[in-house]
């Protein structure tokens, strides 16, 4: 059975794009429009990988990422960040959050900045899922 | 000066001696003379305070002495000693200005009464003289103080940085300082006491001043106004003015207006606005970069999907990819247009148009998209609004922005039980203002979002917004001298109200 990959992004264009990439590479795509829906899908569908946007209106990617990395069940679930936010800004937000809430979270396994080349995305997914 | 020295005049030595003794015992010092000539010499030499003289005397008699003394010093008191029934002499003495009369033989009682009367007279006269002198001094001092004060006030008015114009109760100009002369480009000599408010000021301004007198709205009086003055040589000057009605004992005696030249301030404001805007565009580069990245991934992703569609001959993929590409081309062109509008000065291009029609056009544009998302868009139009002169482009773009925001607010609403709707209402306000209210019952905003709403490149729409829409709208409204207000409650919805001033088609 092909592996399940969840795309969490509020931009329908990105979802269409990533879904197509996943289908082309024989993965099963799952989609969510924001962080809250993303968490629901993770709990119900149990994906093998999450591709996560950072800035979304409801339940941002930052929050979802933190919830996953501090949750025993999902600590090892691989996450690819796919966002327009520069890595530097993302790391800074993590640092601020760590100071504010306590508890360091590991930096994302893979951090891809939009716009991403389809080949780079595929390579990152394959590396994670083997 | 009290009475100290008394001159006693009589040709009868016994009487002189007796009188002198009596007076000395009362504490006066005395001088004596046996006739008028001798007495007058003593008057000149010793200046007694009082003279008591008999009438009948050799050489110069008492009446002659009285006359001489009065000619020499009209203020000297002379008491005449007369015999019984000597009416003629008494009358003559009165005419010559005698102070008092004592009948012969002189009794102490009569003497002391006459003396007391004379003393009183002298004292009153002295006091009067003192008062008069004092009064003159005081008037002189007061005049000097008044002169200095008047000078100071004159100087104050002359050197004021405000143009000061004062009117009397007939609206004639009575104060017109050099700054006022500069602002109005009129010579004080041509204006003062010659022109009235109607000849100097634009009609609308004169109207305001006159309504000050009629109205008793104190608060209104203190609010400064801004207006443009058209000068003789056809150039204009922006001014701010504040005014007061002058009252004296409860009665209106005139009014005064203070003018400030705003030319420099307006220029600075404009420069500031322009530089703020440029800075905002600079600030945005990072915010914008995010948005542009989203457009790019849309284009890139779209082409990938099209490639896949072509490769597999999959029409659905082709359509989907092509739609994505088209949408992102649209987004980039909107972005460029908004950026250009925002960063440049733009004069509203006012022309004849029907505001209600603009509203209908905007609704037609968004109706289908709204319907797809179960959102009803309804116009509520005030039919009394006909053709007016405004910039239709400003109105169209502002309304489109606000209605689109309303749709987004409904889409963003988590309460899916609501029947979402957006109303666009037009209404007329006094003073040539038309209002447009765009109301949605979508997600609403919290105070934090409301506060940041008009700040550069703030967006509450995640990656979907540039944060330019409302900024561009508020800038265009501002350039049209209109206002935009917001009323929003989290969970309940939002209403934006635009107010635009207009001119009538006939140019009134």
């Amino acid at each position: 059975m092909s592996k399940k990959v969840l795309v969490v992004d509020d931009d329908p264009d990105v979802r269409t794009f990533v879904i197509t990439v996943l289908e082309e590479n024989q993965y099963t795509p799952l989609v969510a429009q924001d962080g809250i829906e993303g968490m629901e899908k993770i709990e119900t569908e149990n994906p093998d990988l999450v591709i996560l946007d950072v800035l979304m209106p409801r339940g941002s990617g930052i929050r979802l990422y933190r919830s996953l990395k501090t949750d025993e069940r999902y600590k090892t679930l691989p996450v690819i960040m796919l966002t327009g936010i520069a890595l530097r800004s993302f790391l800074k937000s993590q640092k601020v959050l760590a100071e504010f809430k306590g508890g360091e979270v590991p930096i994302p396994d893979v951090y891809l900045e939009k716009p991403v080349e389809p080949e780079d995305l595929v390579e990152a997914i394959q590396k994670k899922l083997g | 000066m009290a009475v100290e020295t008394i001159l006693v005049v009589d040709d009868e030595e016994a009487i002189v001696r007796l009188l002198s003794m009596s007076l000395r015992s009362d504490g006066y010092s005395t001088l004596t003379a046996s006739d008028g000539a001798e007495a007058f010499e003593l008057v000149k030499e010793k200046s007694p305070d009082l003279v008591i003289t008999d009438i009948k005397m050799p050489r110069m008699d008492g009446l002659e002495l009285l006359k001489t003394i009065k000619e020499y010093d009209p203020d000297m008191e002379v008491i005449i000693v007369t015999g019984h029934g000597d009416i003629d002499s008494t009358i003559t003495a009165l005419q010559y200005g005698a102070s008092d009369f004592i009948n012969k033989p002189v009794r102490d009682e009569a003497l002391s009464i006459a003396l007391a009367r004379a003393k009183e007279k002298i004292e009153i006269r002295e006091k009067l003289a003192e008062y008069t002198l004092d009064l003159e001094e005081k008037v002189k001092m007061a005049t000097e103080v008044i002169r200095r004060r008047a000078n100071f006030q004159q100087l104050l008015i002359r050197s004021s940085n405000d143009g000061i114009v004062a009117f009397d109760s007939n609206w004639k100009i009575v104060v017109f300082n050099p700054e006022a002369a500069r602002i109005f480009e009129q010579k004080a000599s041509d204006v003062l006491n010659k022109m009235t408010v109607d000849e100097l000021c634009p009609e609308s301004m004169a109207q305001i001043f006159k309504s000050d007198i009629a109205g008793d709205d104190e608060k209104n009086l203190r609010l400064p106004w801004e207006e443009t003055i058209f000068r003789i040589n056809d150039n204009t000057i922006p001014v701010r003015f504040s005014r007061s009605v002058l009252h004296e004992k409860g009665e209106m005696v005139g009014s005064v207006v203070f003018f400030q030249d705003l030319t420099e301030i307006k220029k600075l404001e404009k420069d500031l606005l322009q530089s703020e805007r440029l800075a905002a565009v600079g600030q945005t580069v990072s915010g914008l970069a995010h948005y542009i990245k989203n457009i790019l991934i849309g284009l890139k992703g779209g082409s990938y999907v099209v490639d896949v569609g072509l490769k597999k001959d999959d029409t659905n993929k082709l359509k989907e990819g092509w739609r994505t590409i088209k949408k992102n081309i649209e987004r980039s062109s909107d972005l460029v247009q908004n950026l250009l509008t925002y960063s440049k000065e733009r004069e509203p291009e006012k022309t004849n148009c029907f505001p209600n029609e603009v509203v209908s056009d905007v609704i037609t544009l968004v109706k289908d998209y709204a319907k797809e998302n179960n959102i009803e868009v309804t116009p509520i139009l005030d039919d009394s609004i006909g053709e007016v002169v405004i910039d239709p482009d400003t109105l169209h773009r502002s309304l489109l922005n606000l209605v689109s925001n309303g749709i987004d607010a409904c889409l963003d609403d988590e309460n899916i039980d609501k029947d979402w709707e957006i109303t666009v209402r037009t209404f007329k306000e006094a003073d040539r203002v038309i209002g447009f209210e765009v109301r949605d019952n979508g997600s609403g905003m919290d105070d934090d979002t409301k506060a940041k709403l008009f700040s550069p490149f703030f967006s509450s729409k995640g990656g979907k917004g540039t944060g330019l829409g409302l900024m561009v709208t508020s800038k265009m409204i501002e350039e049209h001298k209109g206002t935009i207000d917001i009323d929003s409650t989290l969970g309940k919805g939002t209403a934006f109200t635009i107010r635009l001033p207009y001119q009538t088609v006939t140019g009134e």
Side-chain angles (χ1 to χ4, degrees):
Chain A
M1 204 182 111
S2 70
K3 299 207 163 164
K4 289 193 269 187
V5 177
L6 173 65
V7 188
V8 188
D9 202 307
D10 62 322
D11 187 342
D13 299 348
V14 175
R15 293 199 300 266
T16 308
F17 168 48
V18 178
I19 288 168
T20 309
V21 171
L22 291 171
E23 287 169 349
E24 282 302 289
N25 293 275
Q26 286 75 48
Y27 296 108
T28 305
L30 303 167
V31 289
Q33 296 193 21
D34 54 55
I36 292 172
E37 200 190 340
M39 196 65 205
E40 287 165 8
K41 283 274 162 75
I42 290 168
E43 282 172 345
T44 53
E45 305 277 344
N46 218 358
D48 300 292
L49 174 76
V50 179
I51 297 175
L52 183 57
D53 186 21
V54 171
L55 275 189
M56 289 176 292
R58 229 160 53 104
S60 77
I62 293 177
R63 209 190 301 169
L64 179 57
Y65 179 74
R66 237 186 118 73
S67 319
L68 292 176
K69 291 299 156 190
T70 52
D71 189 323
E72 282 305 320
R73 294 173 293 168
Y74 305 117
K75 237 179 179 164
T76 52
L77 175 62
V79 175
I80 291 174
M81 302 300 293
L82 174 61
T83 173
I85 300 286
L87 178 60
R88 201 161 40 103
S89 311
F90 177 77
L91 292 180
K92 198 172 166 202
S93 73
Q94 289 301 302
K95 216 177 130 198
V96 172
L97 271 176
E99 276 168 22
F100 185 62
K101 293 197 165 169
E104 295 264 341
V105 290
I107 59 165
D109 305 321
V110 184
Y111 196 94
L112 296 176
E113 279 185 41
K114 289 175 188 171
V116 69
E117 297 297 334
E119 300 78 35
D120 294 344
L121 182 58
V122 172
E123 194 190 314
I125 296 168
Q126 283 171 348
K127 214 161 148 192
K128 279 285 129 195
L129 293 177
Chain B
M1 193 180 82
V3 175
E4 281 167 8
T5 311
I6 299 174
L7 171 60
V8 181
V9 192
D10 203 314
D11 56 340
E12 287 177 50
E13 213 195 317
I15 292 176
V16 169
R17 222 175 28 236
L18 202 70
L19 258 174
S20 295
M21 252 168 62
S22 171
L23 290 168
R24 276 206 296 272
S25 73
D26 283 345
Y28 301 102
S29 48
T30 56
L31 301 163
T32 57
S34 54
D35 62 51
E38 193 189 341
F40 186 59
E41 286 308 309
L42 277 171
V43 164
K44 286 196 285 189
E45 203 177 309
K46 304 267 167 116
S47 301
D49 302 313
L50 182 71
V51 180
I52 299 173
T53 181
D54 189 19
I55 292 179
K56 289 202 180 75
M57 289 180 300
R59 287 216 291 177
M60 187 194 276
D61 70 7
L63 292 175
E64 190 63 29
L65 175 64
L66 170 64
K67 195 179 154 198
T68 313
I69 287 175
K70 284 288 171 183
E71 275 164 11
Y72 171 72
D73 176 3
D75 285 345
M76 190 168 281
E77 298 296 330
V78 180
I79 297 172
I80 304 292
V81 182
T82 65
H84 275 295
D86 194 355
I87 304 288
D88 288 346
S89 302
T90 308
I91 290 169
T92 310
L94 267 176
Q95 282 169 342
Y96 286 161
S99 316
D100 213 339
F101 300 90
I102 312 173
N103 284 321
K104 271 183 180 176
V106 177
R107 281 175 291 122
D108 277 356
E109 201 189 344
L111 179 66
S112 66
I113 288 170
L115 276 176
R117 276 208 293 252
K119 266 159 78 178
E120 205 177 314
K121 254 178 157 172
I122 289 170
E123 268 165 27
I124 287 170
R125 195 167 49 229
E126 275 170 358
K127 259 184 202 153
L128 201 66
E130 214 173 287
Y131 285 149
T132 311
L133 204 66
D134 205 29
L135 204 63
E136 274 172 9
E137 193 60 34
K138 278 190 176 143
V139 168
K140 226 159 88 185
M141 270 164 59
T143 311
E144 176 63 17
V145 170
I146 290 169
R147 193 189 60 79
R148 275 213 303 263
R149 283 208 188 143
N151 265 356
F152 184 73
Q153 276 163 6
Q154 196 72 29
L155 211 62
L156 213 62
I157 293 173
R158 279 193 66 81
S159 55
S160 166
N161 287 331
D162 283 2
I164 301 178
V165 181
F167 309 96
D168 66 11
S169 51
N170 297 318
W171 293 108
K172 194 145 258 181
I173 293 155
V174 289
V175 172
F176 194 74
N177 76 344
E179 177 64 9
R182 194 188 67 75
I183 288 176
F184 283 92
E185 288 192 335
Q186 295 266 22
K187 273 190 211 149
S189 56
D190 294 339
V191 172
L192 276 175
N193 297 314
K194 287 180 185 153
M195 281 187 170
T196 63
V197 65
D198 303 297
E199 290 161 307
L200 181 73
C201 304
E203 198 193 330
S204 55
M205 204 185 266
Q207 221 49 54
I208 292 171
F209 300 160
K210 286 179 179 172
S211 66
D212 287 348
I213 306 288
D216 46 5
D217 194 349
E218 287 282 320
K219 223 181 190 173
N220 236 353
L221 281 188
R222 290 188 196 103
L223 284 179
W225 281 60
E226 286 185 17
E227 189 149 338
T228 304
I229 291 177
F230 297 88
R231 303 193 284 204
I232 312 178
N233 57 3
D234 275 348
N235 64 17
T236 62
I237 181 169
V239 293
R240 171 185 294 142
F241 59 91
S242 53
R243 61 256 190 252
S244 300
V245 179
L246 305 175
H247 291 280
E248 198 177 289
K249 288 177 185 145
E251 221 165 284
M252 200 281 276
V253 291
S255 68
V256 61
V257 187
F258 302 88
F259 292 92
Q260 277 175 302
D261 178 357
L262 295 184
T263 311
E264 201 59 25
I265 292 171
K266 286 279 176 212
K267 198 176 150 287
L268 286 174
E269 273 176 3
K270 212 170 168 183
D271 289 354
L272 189 68
L273 202 67
Q274 183 69 11
S275 55
E276 267 177 8
R277 235 182 258 140
L278 287 174
V281 171
Q283 272 168 34
T284 53
V285 170
S286 66
L288 263 188
H290 182 238
Y291 186 73
I292 292 169
K293 281 179 194 170
N294 281 335
I295 293 177
L296 283 178
I297 196 164
L299 291 170
K300 198 163 268 191
S303 2
Y304 176 80
V305 175
V306 167
D307 283 342
V308 169
L310 285 173
K311 198 173 73 188
K312 293 191 163 176
D313 211 5
D314 180 340
T315 321
N316 275 341
K317 281 281 172 206
L318 268 176
K319 272 187 191 163
E320 206 169 8
W322 184 235
R323 192 185 47 77
T324 307
I325 290 170
K326 276 206 293 195
K327 190 172 87 190
N328 283 286
I329 288 170
E330 188 78 12
R331 279 164 99 187
S332 44
S333 104
D334 283 354
L335 173 67
V336 170
Q337 168 135 45
N338 273 344
L339 269 181
L340 284 180
T341 311
Y342 184 68
S343 53
K344 269 197 306 201
E345 293 269 335
R346 178 182 168 279
E347 276 295 313
E349 284 164 26
K350 294 183 186 172
T351 170
N352 292 9
C353 77
F354 291 92
N356 285 342
E357 281 181 11
V358 178
V359 172
S360 303
D361 289 349
V362 168
I363 291 180
T364 309
L365 274 180
V366 298
K367 202 156 191 142
D368 291 342
Y369 176 64
K371 197 109 202 168
E372 280 169 29
N373 291 285
N374 294 317
I375 301 165
E376 199 67 46
V377 186
T378 322
I380 305 173
L381 304 176
D382 179 347
D383 290 333
S384 73
I385 300 172
E387 191 173 23
V388 296
V389 181
I390 55 168
D391 175 18
D393 195 34
T394 295
L395 183 58
H396 189 276
R397 290 181 62 180
S398 302
L399 286 176
L400 186 58
N401 173 242
L402 295 182
V403 175
S404 307
N405 284 350
I407 292 175
D408 286 337
C410 292
L411 291 177
D412 202 30
D413 194 3
E414 288 168 34
N415 181 359
I416 49 168
D417 298 331
K418 267 191 217 167
D419 291 327
W420 289 310
E421 67 165 346
I422 294 166
T423 55
V424 184
R425 190 168 67 85
T426 59
F427 58 93
K428 243 182 182 169
E429 275 194 357
D431 295 338
R432 305 232 159 91
V433 171
I434 302 182
F436 303 87
E437 183 202 66
V438 179
R439 179 179 289 275
D440 68 69
N441 64 348
S443 56
M445 288 173 234
D446 56 20
D447 289 343
D448 193 38
T449 307
K450 248 186 278 179
K452 285 192 222 153
L453 209 52
F454 294 98
S455 60
F457 299 81
F458 169 77
S459 174
S460 59
K461 300 180 189 169
K464 274 191 285 175
T466 53
L468 272 170
L470 261 186
M471 273 178 69
V472 169
T473 296
S474 73
K475 173 176 170 279
M476 290 178 83
I477 299 291
E478 206 173 278
E479 281 165 346
H480 205 295
K481 306 262 186 282
T483 58
I484 179 164
D485 295 298
I486 174 176
D487 179 24
S488 182
T489 313
L490 193 62
K492 290 270 164 64
T494 302
F496 280 96
T497 307
I498 294 173
R499 288 183 174 80
L500 287 182
Y502 67 90
Q503 279 116 39
T504 57
V505 179
T506 49
E508 276 169 26

